[in-house]
Amino acid sequence: MPHESLLTTARTIALRAGELARLRRSEGVEVAASKSSPVDVVTEADRETEALIRGLLADERPGDGFFGEESGAERGSTGLTWIVDPIDGTVNFLYGIPHYAVSIAVVEGEPDPQTWTALAGCVVNPASGEVYTATAGGGAYLGEAPIRVADAVPLSQALVATGFAYDSTTRGEQGRLVAALLPLVRDIRRLGTASLDLCFVASGRTNAYFERTLSPWDHAAGALIAREAGATVKGLGDAQPSRDLILAGHPDVAAALEGALAQLAR
Ligand code: IPD
Ligand code: CA
């Protein structure tokens, strides 16, 4: 399979990082600092887990670039960059909700989701033990089992996941949009971990997912996994996913959701 050795690296390191995060969670977790807003927090475990991942990647792939949520970016010489969220779903992690993830992807080209090509990705939920993986052209897996998006359903039958920004003004807008969307769909889920939201689309646990204000590390691995499982994963209009929008689902459901969101935003 193409990119299999990159995937092995991503998976092995994500599993080790997940063990560390789970250990730290079992010892108890406290907020270390807040970031973009008082509710956007980081724990010592986020920093320690990213440092572990960065160190292991530097040992194994010394020429590659790195772009992580907690410790920033460093360009490499190989044209490959590792995009890392050490703990996605930090608020779930803080509260002991067993739905958080280590997300690792490796991309080719500039470390910019508008232009990069994702080659391999792994999302691990250390609390459930679930491991989602994909390689470009090689399909998507939950553990050893291939996964596919759920069959198309009308929007009125679609279970749609979403998420909210840390900024309170943006949240107000997002809340109003979701309130208007709710009567049009089966139901809404706010599960709290964007990478797993994309993996849930990939494995048919939800029909679609959309969110604004995500960062590249939140969606790098999950977007590849969802695409390899047959989902459309897109941003606004013809753009790739960005802070403006990420939308994912079976192609027919994604189109219907995109149309509904555009109408509601008018
Ligand atoms: C957050 C989660 C959440 C999403 C936020 C993200 P973090 O990531 O993925 O589900 O709604 O937009 O920032 O801060 O826990 O790594
Ligand atoms: Ca994070």
Side-chain angles (χ1 to χ4, degrees):
M1 194 187 289
H3 315 306
E4 192 58 36
S5 81
L6 291 172
L7 179 61
T8 300
T9 299
R11 188 202 289 112
T12 307
I13 294 179
L15 285 169
R16 274 194 65 182
E19 272 169 33
L20 175 64
R22 203 159 69 97
L23 175 67
R24 292 297 178 253
R25 177 55 251 174
S26 73
E27 293 166 347
V29 174
E30 280 177 26
V31 171
S34 56
K35 300 193 284 187
S36 63
S37 90
V39 292
D40 179 8
V41 298
V42 60
T43 74
E44 244 350 288
D46 294 72
R47 293 172 174 162
E48 196 188 351
T49 305
E50 182 155 319
L52 173 72
I53 296 168
R54 196 166 184 159
L56 291 169
L57 283 171
D59 289 346
E60 203 173 315
R61 307 273 321 174
D64 295 350
F66 182 87
F67 184 21
E69 174 167 17
E70 311 301 345
S71 63
E74 187 181 336
R75 294 187 86 85
S77 55
T78 60
L80 301 186
T81 304
W82 294 83
I83 315 294
V84 171
D85 192 341
I87 299 180
D88 186 26
T90 294
V91 176
N92 285 349
F93 181 73
L94 182 65
Y95 279 76
I97 297 171
H99 188 80
Y100 59 93
V102 177
S103 174
I104 301 181
V106 57
V107 305
E108 192 169 38
E110 287 297 305
D112 171 357
Q114 289 312 299
T115 55
W116 74 34
T117 302
L119 302 182
C122 179
V123 175
V124 171
N125 177 350
S128 69
E130 289 187 329
V131 180
Y132 290 87
T133 54
T135 51
Y141 293 80
L142 169 52
E144 301 297 315
I147 47 175
R148 292 296 297 169
V149 283
D151 290 342
V153 291
L155 195 57
S156 59
Q157 295 293 311
L159 184 61
V160 178
T162 191
F164 304 120
Y166 288 118
D167 166 69
S168 62
T169 306
T170 311
R171 283 177 170 221
E173 293 164 13
Q174 290 172 319
R176 286 186 283 281
L177 182 65
V178 168
L181 181 65
L182 189 49
L184 307 181
V185 298
R186 177 190 290 270
D187 207 344
I188 294 285
R189 292 291 180 271
R190 196 300 187 233
L191 298 166
T193 303
S195 56
L196 288 173
D197 287 328
L198 287 159
C199 292
F200 276 26
V201 168
S203 54
R205 288 180 178 170
T206 57
N207 296 106
Y209 162 66
F210 74 99
E211 184 159 355
R212 280 172 57 202
T213 75
L214 282 193
S215 297
W217 47 79
D218 295 316
H219 60 76
L224 176 65
I225 292 164
R227 279 188 177 132
E228 286 294 326
T232 292
V233 182
K234 65 187 299 299
L236 267 187
D238 293 333
Q240 294 297 317
S242 75
R243 287 192 81 74
D244 294 334
L245 180 69
I246 184 165
L247 187 149
H250 181 288
D252 296 352
V253 180
L257 177 61
E258 188 175 21
L261 291 174
Q263 282 231 314
L264 293 174
R266 268 187 209 146

